[in-house]
Structures are given as structure tokens and as C-alpha cells.
Amino acid sequence: MHIDIITVVPGLLEGPFSHSILKRAEEKGLATVRVHNLRDYATGKQKQVDDYAFGGGAGMVMMIEPIARCIEALQQERTYDEIIYMTPDGETFDQPMANTLSLKQNLLILCGHYKGVDQRVRDKFITKEISIGDFVLSGGELAAAVVADAIIRLIPGVLNDETSALTDSFQDNLLAPPVYTRPAEYEGMTVPEVLLSGHEAKISDWRFEASVRRTKEKRPDLLKGTGWE
Ligand code: ADE
């Protein structure tokens, strides 16, 4: 998979992709992420990327020309499965959307800033608009990093133990069960016996039941229609 990200604040995206799982995905050749500075596609001395909104009102709007130049230059190199715009008025991101996007080859993500982008950018180029929740960030960069992380970790081979993504919370509409590690006893707090038993079938049953119990307690909405209510 290849992900291109367009931003006016490339520094915000340097950290997330140079550590841990995302770094390993790149080293293994399973996912590449390239960050593009929108200002490199602006013209004039000021390298202007935003301007006042027609009709007035507070806040600047990202201009179409630099964005169009950037997207069209990137399209010379690859065909994108989706051109995504990160925006609080987009479709709310969730695990099924992450699963679907993890199967794509090439994604382009545009990060909004200020009051957002000129509507004509959305009309002309954008195929998918994603929000990571009902709150407003100061830009789309952190949201793009969240989406890229959730997608890349699902690519087969990125996680050491491939099954571990399948047992994540939200796959199967269930939250993950509680987990424990050494010591088996801490200040009188013990680990459920079954987990120490070595009996795989019993452990698997316990984990499933604990998942259902936890989901009922914390997120009963996830169980609607599953038969586990
Ligand atoms: N940009 C600003 N807020 C955002 C959000 N909640 N989701 C995606 N992009 C955003």
C-alpha cells in the first residue's frame, strides 16, 4: 500500500510514521507513506495557500490552485483508489471502514486547515470524506495519522502475529477481553485461574464470554442484532 498525504504542516506528521509498527511496515516494504508540503505547489513570493472567504466571515479558506497542482502532479505517478479529505463533517471513521481501506493499493489524503478547503476542491477531486469523531481539531493532520495507523496495522504481515488484528476490539462487534501478564498475583489481586490452566479450549471460551460481558457493560449498542444481547 502507498499513502500520500498533503498538508500545510508536514512537521506534524513526521513523528507518527517514524516509530514502531508504522516504521516496521515501511521497512518491510508493506506500506509507504509520503508527506507532501502544499506550499511547494504554491506560486508567488508569499507561497500563498489560503485566502479570505468570499462573502466574508472569520477564518481563511484553502485555495484550489495549489491543491489542484499538487493532486494532479501526484496523479501523474499513480492512480488513487480513494482521494480522501479529512474533515469533521465527513463520514465517521470506524473499524469496518479501516478494514475496507486496508485492502486498497493507493490512497491520497488531503488535510484541511483554517476554515477548510474551497468547496470546488471537494467537488472536483475528493472521493471520500472522513471524520474521526464529533469534535474539531485544528487541522486534519492528526486525524490523517489516526486513519493511516488504523489501516496500515491491518495489512497482512505488518503485525508480527497476524491473528492479533483479527482479535482486536470491534472486529466481530465485540470489545476485546481483559488481558493479564506476570506476576500472577499483585498485592492480593489474582489472574483468572483458567488463563493459567494451559487449556486452550477453556481459555478461548472464557475470552469469548468475557468479551460479551465487557461489551454488554461498556458498549451495549455494538451487540444489537448479533444475537449476543
Ligand atoms: N479536521 C478537523 N477536525 C477533524 C475531525 N474531527 N476529523 C477529521 N478531520 C478533522
mmCIF file of all heavy atoms in Angstrom, residues 86-88 130-133 135-137 139-140 143, ligand 1:
data_model
loop_
_atom_site.group_PDB
_atom_site.id
_atom_site.type_symbol
_atom_site.label_atom_id
_atom_site.label_comp_id
_atom_site.label_asym_id
_atom_site.label_seq_id
_atom_site.Cartn_x
_atom_site.Cartn_y
_atom_site.Cartn_z
ATOM 1 N N MET A 86 -9.872 14.900 5.026
ATOM 2 C CA MET A 86 -10.130 14.790 6.458
ATOM 3 C C MET A 86 -10.906 16.026 6.898
ATOM 4 O O MET A 86 -10.422 17.155 6.758
ATOM 5 C CB MET A 86 -8.807 14.728 7.242
ATOM 6 C CG MET A 86 -7.887 13.570 6.882
ATOM 7 S SD MET A 86 -8.652 11.942 6.894
ATOM 8 C CE MET A 86 -9.331 11.898 8.535
ATOM 9 N N THR A 87 -12.108 15.816 7.439
ATOM 10 C CA THR A 87 -12.963 16.937 7.809
ATOM 11 C C THR A 87 -13.971 16.506 8.856
ATOM 12 O O THR A 87 -14.488 15.381 8.800
ATOM 13 C CB THR A 87 -13.718 17.474 6.555
ATOM 14 O OG1 THR A 87 -14.668 18.453 6.954
ATOM 15 C CG2 THR A 87 -14.430 16.369 5.788
ATOM 16 N N PRO A 88 -14.282 17.384 9.829
ATOM 17 C CA PRO A 88 -15.247 16.986 10.858
ATOM 18 C C PRO A 88 -16.649 16.725 10.310
ATOM 19 O O PRO A 88 -17.453 16.085 10.990
ATOM 20 C CB PRO A 88 -15.249 18.165 11.835
ATOM 21 C CG PRO A 88 -14.479 19.258 11.198
ATOM 22 C CD PRO A 88 -13.666 18.689 10.086
ATOM 23 N N ILE A 130 -13.708 11.906 5.475
ATOM 24 C CA ILE A 130 -13.671 11.151 6.733
ATOM 25 C C ILE A 130 -13.497 12.089 7.922
ATOM 26 O O ILE A 130 -12.645 12.973 7.917
ATOM 27 C CB ILE A 130 -12.508 10.126 6.734
ATOM 28 C CG1 ILE A 130 -12.646 9.137 5.567
ATOM 29 C CG2 ILE A 130 -12.448 9.375 8.059
ATOM 30 C CD1 ILE A 130 -11.525 8.107 5.497
ATOM 31 N N SER A 131 -14.297 11.825 8.967
ATOM 32 C CA SER A 131 -14.150 12.481 10.269
ATOM 33 C C SER A 131 -13.714 11.419 11.268
ATOM 34 O O SER A 131 -14.133 10.265 11.165
ATOM 35 C CB SER A 131 -15.505 13.049 10.705
ATOM 36 O OG SER A 131 -15.479 13.334 12.089
ATOM 37 N N ILE A 132 -12.866 11.775 12.229
ATOM 38 C CA ILE A 132 -12.531 10.779 13.258
ATOM 39 C C ILE A 132 -13.385 10.963 14.512
ATOM 40 O O ILE A 132 -13.175 10.281 15.505
ATOM 41 C CB ILE A 132 -11.022 10.739 13.604
ATOM 42 C CG1 ILE A 132 -10.542 12.061 14.201
ATOM 43 C CG2 ILE A 132 -10.194 10.337 12.408
ATOM 44 C CD1 ILE A 132 -9.233 11.910 14.975
ATOM 45 N N GLY A 133 -14.365 11.852 14.471
ATOM 46 C CA GLY A 133 -15.264 11.996 15.619
ATOM 47 C C GLY A 133 -15.893 13.370 15.643
ATOM 48 O O GLY A 133 -15.451 14.278 14.930
ATOM 49 N N PHE A 135 -15.790 16.215 16.988
ATOM 50 C CA PHE A 135 -15.043 17.284 17.655
ATOM 51 C C PHE A 135 -14.176 17.915 16.577
ATOM 52 O O PHE A 135 -13.971 17.318 15.519
ATOM 53 C CB PHE A 135 -14.163 16.733 18.797
ATOM 54 C CG PHE A 135 -13.427 15.481 18.414
ATOM 55 C CD1 PHE A 135 -12.248 15.552 17.682
ATOM 56 C CD2 PHE A 135 -13.926 14.235 18.750
ATOM 57 C CE1 PHE A 135 -11.574 14.398 17.315
ATOM 58 C CE2 PHE A 135 -13.264 13.069 18.380
ATOM 59 C CZ PHE A 135 -12.090 13.152 17.666
ATOM 60 N N VAL A 136 -13.708 19.133 16.826
ATOM 61 C CA VAL A 136 -12.948 19.834 15.788
ATOM 62 C C VAL A 136 -11.486 19.960 16.195
ATOM 63 O O VAL A 136 -11.163 20.516 17.249
ATOM 64 C CB VAL A 136 -13.561 21.227 15.511
ATOM 65 C CG1 VAL A 136 -12.748 21.968 14.461
ATOM 66 C CG2 VAL A 136 -15.009 21.079 15.054
ATOM 67 N N LEU A 137 -10.606 19.420 15.364
ATOM 68 C CA LEU A 137 -9.160 19.548 15.562
ATOM 69 C C LEU A 137 -8.694 20.803 14.841
ATOM 70 O O LEU A 137 -9.409 21.345 13.993
ATOM 71 C CB LEU A 137 -8.452 18.326 14.972
ATOM 72 C CG LEU A 137 -8.845 16.975 15.563
ATOM 73 C CD1 LEU A 137 -8.374 15.839 14.676
ATOM 74 C CD2 LEU A 137 -8.279 16.842 16.961
ATOM 75 N N GLY A 139 -6.497 20.901 12.638
ATOM 76 C CA GLY A 139 -6.206 20.561 11.254
ATOM 77 C C GLY A 139 -6.444 19.078 11.058
ATOM 78 O O GLY A 139 -6.655 18.351 12.021
ATOM 79 N N GLY A 140 -6.376 18.618 9.815
ATOM 80 C CA GLY A 140 -6.651 17.204 9.529
ATOM 81 C C GLY A 140 -5.463 16.282 9.759
ATOM 82 O O GLY A 140 -5.595 15.061 9.626
ATOM 83 N N ALA A 143 -5.756 13.611 12.505
ATOM 84 C CA ALA A 143 -6.807 12.686 12.063
ATOM 85 C C ALA A 143 -6.269 11.767 10.958
ATOM 86 O O ALA A 143 -6.539 10.565 10.957
ATOM 87 C CB ALA A 143 -8.016 13.478 11.562
HETATM 88 N N1 ADE B 1 -10.197 18.094 10.910
HETATM 89 C C1 ADE B 1 -10.597 18.819 11.976
HETATM 90 N N2 ADE B 1 -11.337 18.077 12.808
HETATM 91 C C2 ADE B 1 -11.405 16.829 12.265
HETATM 92 C C3 ADE B 1 -12.043 15.621 12.637
HETATM 93 N N3 ADE B 1 -12.762 15.520 13.751
HETATM 94 N N4 ADE B 1 -11.903 14.560 11.827
HETATM 95 C C4 ADE B 1 -11.201 14.651 10.690
HETATM 96 N N5 ADE B 1 -10.581 15.758 10.271
HETATM 97 C C5 ADE B 1 -10.685 16.852 11.053
#
